[in-house]
C-alpha cells in the first residue's frame, strides 16, 4: 500500500517555561586576521583542443585514438572543484569506544567511533583546518557549456530509451554504455566491462551514453567505482541535449577520485533534469603523462522512490500504513525530528519523505561554525562589517572580523517555513568543527592563542551575529531551540581550543556561561524568550561509574550557568547509544533526573548502533527502540517536559555510523522493522492516531 505524504502546514511552537529575560550581559570585544583553504591548482580544461567539425561518430568499435574536440565547442575553462569542500569530520570522540556486546558497564565515557556525518558530501577523515590562502579564483562552474553551433547531427548517435519502471539503483559497466567521443586519451574495455584509460595530455576525456536516461530528481547519490593513479579523475554528467547533438550540456562535474586503490567515489549531484551520458575526465598532476592512468569499473545511480509501506503484522499487529512518526509522536511531543543535510532538505525526492515523518530538522553540519565561516574564510574591516549590518561588541578591539556565510542556512529556513518544519539550531560553541584560527591572534591558523578577554569579544560577536541573522530572517521563527554549547563536559585540554584559551574551568566555565548570557539577551531583544529554548547539549549524559557521575556534573554546570537567573533551559541528551549499552532503564532514569531538576529535556541525536549484527542483535535493536519510545511517551504523559526528540539522520545508508545500522530506515525509502515497532509502541502506550 502506498503511503500518502503529509505536508505539515502548521507549526506548533514550543511553550517553554522559563524565567525572565533578565540576566545582565557582560559585553565583550575584539578580532583580526586571515586564512583560507587549499584549492586544487590546475583549473583549466584545454580551450584549444579542437574536435573535428564533422565529428565522425565511430559506429563500430575500433575507436579513433585521437578525437580532437571541435573548435566551436569550447570546454568550460575552469572546472575542477576545490577539493577542500570537505566536511570536517566528526568530533574526535573519546578514544575508548565501548564494545558493549555483553552488556558491560563501560568504564570510560565513550561515544561511538567516529564515522562520517550523515550529509551528502564526502568527508575527509581529519578535520581540515584552512591551511593556505588560495581562493578558488574564478572557478566558473561549467553550467553553461556553450552548445556547438554547427555540429552536424550524428547519424548513428544512440538514443537512450526512456527509463522503464524505476529501480532502487542502476549500475552500469562499460560493456553496457555506448561510446560517444574522446580526446587526449586512449582506452580499452576488458571482458568484464572495465575501462582502462591512459591520458596523454594534462586533460583528457571520454564520453559514454547511458543505456537509458536517468531522472536525477529521484537520484540521491551516484557512486563510481574507480582508481586513478598519478592524477585525479572527474566524473561529468550530461543532459538530454546529447540526443540532438554529438556535444551535450554538462550539468555536473566533480574532481576527486585519485590514488592507487579502488574506491567507491561518491557524488551528490543536485540536478533537476534527466541525464543521458557521462564523461570520465582525467586531470594530470605529474609531468610524465604516460604514468597517469585510470581504471573505471562501474557507475551506480542510487534512486529514491515513494516508499512502499508494508507493515509486518507479526511485529506490529495494530499499525496501519497511514501511520507515521508525524501523526503519532509528532502529536505528543512538541517536535519530532531528524538530522538532515541541506542537500537532503532541498532534494525533491527526499524532502517529501522528511515532511511525511517529521515536524523538525536539525542541520547535521551546515550550521556549525566551520560551515558558517566556510572553508575559505574571508575577513573584513570592522567598519565594513558595521556597514553590512554585523553587530560589533563594545569591547571588540580588533580591526577585522570573519565573514559569516548564511546561504545554506537561509535556504534551510525557507524550506522549513514552507513545509511546516521547525528547526533546532546546532551549534554555537563546540570544541570540534570550529576552526583553530578563530582562537588565535590575528585570526591566523598558527598564531598564538588570544587572551580570554579577546575571546570573550569574539564569542559575543559570533553568537549575536548568528542569532541575529536567523531572527532577522523572514523565516527565522522556525528555529525553536539552540544548542548554545555542545559537549563542553567532554571536551579536553588537548583537543579543545576553547580550553587552550580559557584553561581548565571544570564545572564553572566562564565562556559557557557567557555564551548563554549572549543567547538569552538576543532572544529577549527579539521578544521570543518564551518561545525558544537554549539547550546545553552533550553525549553519554547517563554515564555513572566509579570516577564520574555525568548527570550530576551536567546539572552542576547548568546550575552555574543559571546562577544569576535561568538562561539555560535544559539539557540536550545526544543519545548515541548502543543496542547493549547503556540499556533503556539507565537512559530513562537519566531523563527523569534532569526533569526532576526542573529542566527541559530534548533528545537531540538519537541513534542505536549494532556493533555485531546477528539476527538477535538486530531484533534487540528493534525491541530497544520500541521500549525506549514507550518509556518516553509515558514520561511525557505524566507531564515530563521532554519537548523534542530528534533522530540523528534519515537512514542507515547515510548515517555517520552506517557500519552499525543505527537508524529506523535502511535507505530513505525503506523502513526497518524497528520503525514499525516504534509505531506499535505508540499504540501500546495507549495513544491513538490523531
Ligand atoms: C556530535 C555532534 C553532532 C555530530 C555527531 C556525529 O554528537 O553534536 O553534531 O557531529 O557528533 O555525527
Amino acid at each position: 500500500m502506498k503511503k500518502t505524504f503529509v505536508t505539515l502546514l502548521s507549526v506548533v511552537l514550543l511553550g517553554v517555561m522559563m524565567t525572565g529575560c533578565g540576566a545582565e550581559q557582560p559585553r565583550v570585544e575584539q578580532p583580526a586576521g586571515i586564512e583560507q583553504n587549499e584549492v586544487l591548482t590546475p583549473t583549466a580544461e584545454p580551450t584549444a583542443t579542437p574536435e573535428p567539425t564533422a565529428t565522425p561518430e565511430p559506429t563500430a568499435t575500433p575507436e579513433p585514438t585521437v578525437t580532437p574536440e571541435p573548435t566551436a565547442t569550447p570546454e568550460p575553462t575552469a572546472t575542477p572543484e576545490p577539493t577542500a569542500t570537505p566536511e570536517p569530520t566528526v568530533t574526535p570522540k573519546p578514544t575508548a569506544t565501548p564494545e558493549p556486546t555483553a552488556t558491560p558497564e563501560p568504564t570510560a565515557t565513550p561515544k561511538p567511533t567516529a564515522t562520517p556525518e550523515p550529509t551528502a558530501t564526502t568527508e575527509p577523515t581529519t578535520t581540515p583546518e584552512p591551511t593556505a590562502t588560495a581562493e578558488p579564483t574564478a572557478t566558473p562552474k561549467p553550467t553553461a557549456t556553450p552548445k556547438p553551433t554547427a555540429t552536424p547531427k550524428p547519424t548513428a548517435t544512440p538514443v537512450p530509451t526512456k527509463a522503464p519502471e524505476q529501480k532502487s539503483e542502476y549500475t552500469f559497466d562499460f560493456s553496457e554504455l555506448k561510446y560517444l567521443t574522446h580526446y587526449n586519451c586512449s582506452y580499452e574495455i576488458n571482458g568484464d566491462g572495465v575501462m582502462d584509460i591512459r591520458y596523454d595530455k594534462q586533460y583528457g576525456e571520454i564520453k559514454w551514453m547511458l543505456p537509458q536516461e536517468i531522472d536525477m530528481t529521484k537520484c540521491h547519490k551516484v557512486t563510481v567505482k574507480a582508481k586513478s593513479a598519478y592524477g585525479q579523475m572527474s566524473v561529468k554528467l550530461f543532459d538530454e541535449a546529447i540526443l540532438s547533438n554529438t556535444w551535450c550540456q554538462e550539468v555536473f562535474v566533480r574532481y576527486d577520485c585519485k590514488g592507487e586503490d579502488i574506491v567507491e567515489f561518491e557524488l551528490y549531484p543536485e540536478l533537476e533534469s534527466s541525464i543521458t551520458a557521462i564523461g570520465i575526465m582525467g586531470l594530470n598532476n605529474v609531468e610524465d603523462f604516460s604514468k597517469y592512468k585510470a581504471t573505471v569499473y562501474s557507475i551506480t545511480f542510487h534512486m529514491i522512490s515513494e516508499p512502499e509501506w508494508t507493515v509486518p503484522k507479526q511485529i506490529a499487529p495494530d499499525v496501519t500504513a497511514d501511520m507515521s512518526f508525524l501523526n503519532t509522536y509528532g502529536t505528543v511531543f512538541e517536535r519530532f525530528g531528524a538530522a538532515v543535510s541541506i542537500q537532503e532538505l532541498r532534494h525533491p525526492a527526499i524532502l517529501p519523505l522528511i515532511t511525511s515523518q517529521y515536524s523538525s530538522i536539525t542541520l547535521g553540519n551546515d550550521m556549525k561554525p566551520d560551515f558558517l565561516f566556510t572553508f575559505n574564510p574571508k575577513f573584513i574591516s570592522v567598519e565594513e562589517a558595521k556597514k553590512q549590518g554585523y553587530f560589533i561588541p563594545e569591547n571588540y578591539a580588533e580591526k577585522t572580523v570573519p565573514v559569516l556565510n548564511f546561504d545554506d542556512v537561509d535556504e534551510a529556513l525557507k524550506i522549513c517555513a514552507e513545509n511546516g518544519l521547525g528547526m533546532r539550531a546546532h551549534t554555537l560553541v563546540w570544541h570540534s568543527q570550529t576552526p583553530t584560527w578563530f582562537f588565535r591572534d590575528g585570526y591566523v591558523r598558527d598564531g598564538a592563542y588570544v587572551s580570554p578577554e579577546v575571546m570573550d569579544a569574539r564569542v559575543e560577536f559570533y553568537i549575536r551575529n548568528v542569532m541575529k541573522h536567523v531572527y532577522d530572517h523572514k523565516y527565522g521563527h522556525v528555529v525553536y531551540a539552540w544548542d548554545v554549547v555542545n559537549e563542553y563536559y567532554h571536551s579536553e585540554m588537548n583537543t579543545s581550543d576553547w580550553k587552550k584559551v580559557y584553561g581548565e574551568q571544570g564545572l564553572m566555565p566562564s565562556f559557557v556561561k557567557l555564551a548563554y548570557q549572549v543567547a538569552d539577551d538576543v532572544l529577549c531583544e527579539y521578544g521570543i524568550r518564551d518561545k525558544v529554548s537554549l539547550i546545553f547539549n552533550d553525549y553519554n549524559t547517563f554515564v555513572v561509574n566509579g570516577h564520574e557521575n555525568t548527570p550530576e556534573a551536567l546539572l552542576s554546570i547548568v546550575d552555574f550557568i543559571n546562577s544569576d537567573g535561568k538562561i539555560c533551559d535544559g539539557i540536550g541528551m545526544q543519545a548515541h547509544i548502543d543496542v547493549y549499552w547503556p540499556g533503556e532503564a539507565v537512559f530513562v532514569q537519566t531523563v527523569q533526573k534532569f526533569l526532576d531538576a526542573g529542566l527541559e529535556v530534548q533528545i537531540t541525536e538519537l541513534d542505536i548502533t549494532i556493533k555485531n549484527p546477528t539476527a538477535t542483535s538486530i531484533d534487540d535493536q528493534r525491541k530497544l527502540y520500541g521500549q525506549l519510545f514507550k518509556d518516553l511517551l509515558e514520561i511525557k504523559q505524566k507531564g515530563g517536559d521532554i519537548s523534542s526528540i530528534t533522530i540523528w539522520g534519515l537512514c542507515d545508508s547515510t548515517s555517520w555510523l552506517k557500519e552499525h545500522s543505527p537508524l529506523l530506515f535502511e535507505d530513505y525509502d525503506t523502513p526497518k522493522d524497528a520503525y514499525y515497532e516504534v509505531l506499535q509502541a505508540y499504540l501500546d502506550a495507549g495513544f491513538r492516531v490523531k
Side-chain angles (χ1 to χ4, degrees), residues 158-175:
V159 175
T161 47
K162 279 262 173 209
E165 120 213 26
Q166 189 179 298
K167 296 200 232 154
S168 64
E169 58 182 54
Y170 297 95
T171 297
F172 305 116
D173 65 33
F174 289 86
S175 64

Side-chain angles (χ1 to χ4, degrees), residues 145-364:
T145 310
K147 283 197 189 160
T149 38
T151 315
K153 277 200 180 177
T155 39
T157 302
V159 175
T161 47
K162 279 262 173 209
E165 120 213 26
Q166 189 179 298
K167 296 200 232 154
S168 64
E169 58 182 54
Y170 297 95
T171 297
F172 305 116
D173 65 33
F174 289 86
S175 64
E176 296 163 274
L177 306 187
K178 294 216 168 73
Y179 166 84
L180 282 175
T181 178
H182 75 291
Y183 64 92
N184 293 348
C185 59
S186 55
Y187 70 93
E188 234 171 68
I189 309 293
N190 75 22
D192 296 330
V194 174
M195 173 170 67
D196 281 315
I197 318 172
R198 282 189 176 273
Y199 295 96
D200 38 54
K201 293 263 173 55
Q202 195 192 10
Y203 288 87
E205 184 179 5
I206 174 162
K207 295 194 179 96
W208 296 87
M209 175 80 80
L210 298 167
Q212 64 180 68
E213 73 180 37
I214 303 284
D215 177 358
M216 294 305 288
T217 62
K218 299 267 174 0
C219 173
H220 69 93
K221 179 167 79 173
V222 178
T223 48
V224 182
K225 191 170 169 197
K227 67 181 175 194
S228 171
Y230 301 106
Q232 60 181 312
M233 206 189 78
S234 78
V235 174
K236 297 182 175 184
L237 304 178
F238 298 100
D239 72 9
E240 72 287 348
I242 202 160
L243 296 175
S244 51
N245 273 310
T246 50
W247 205 252
C248 45
Q249 195 76 18
E250 177 181 309
V251 286
F252 177 84
V253 62
R254 167 102 182 269
Y255 281 80
D256 226 0
C257 176
K258 54 187 164 196
E260 300 273 6
D261 298 330
I262 303 175
V263 292
E264 286 267 6
F265 168 48
E266 298 191 338
L267 313 169
Y268 296 91
E270 289 160 21
L271 299 177
E272 286 176 9
S273 58
S274 293
I275 58 140
T276 56
I278 61 163
I280 304 291
M281 185 165 203
L283 165 63
N284 195 348
N285 292 336
V286 288
E287 286 300 305
D288 180 3
F289 299 138
S290 65
K291 278 186 158 177
Y292 180 28
K293 51 188 181 181
T295 305
V296 189
Y297 297 81
S298 59
I299 181 163
T300 302
F301 295 86
H302 302 259
M303 313 301 285
I304 303 166
S305 53
E306 193 175 328
E308 286 291 332
W309 303 86
T310 316
V311 183
K313 285 299 165 200
Q314 70 287 8
I315 61 147
D318 308 317
V319 173
T320 50
D322 62 335
M323 287 173 72
S324 65
F325 290 149
L326 193 60
N327 63 15
T328 57
Y329 293 87
T331 66
V332 175
F333 296 94
E334 286 86 336
R335 291 289 174 183
F336 192 89
V340 302
S341 65
I342 182 67
Q343 291 84 356
E344 288 173 322
L345 197 59
R346 65 161 79 105
H347 196 294
I350 300 176
L351 179 62
L353 300 179
I354 297 172
T355 55
S356 70
Q357 293 288 348
Y358 307 103
S359 60
S360 163
I361 58 107
T362 303
L363 288 173

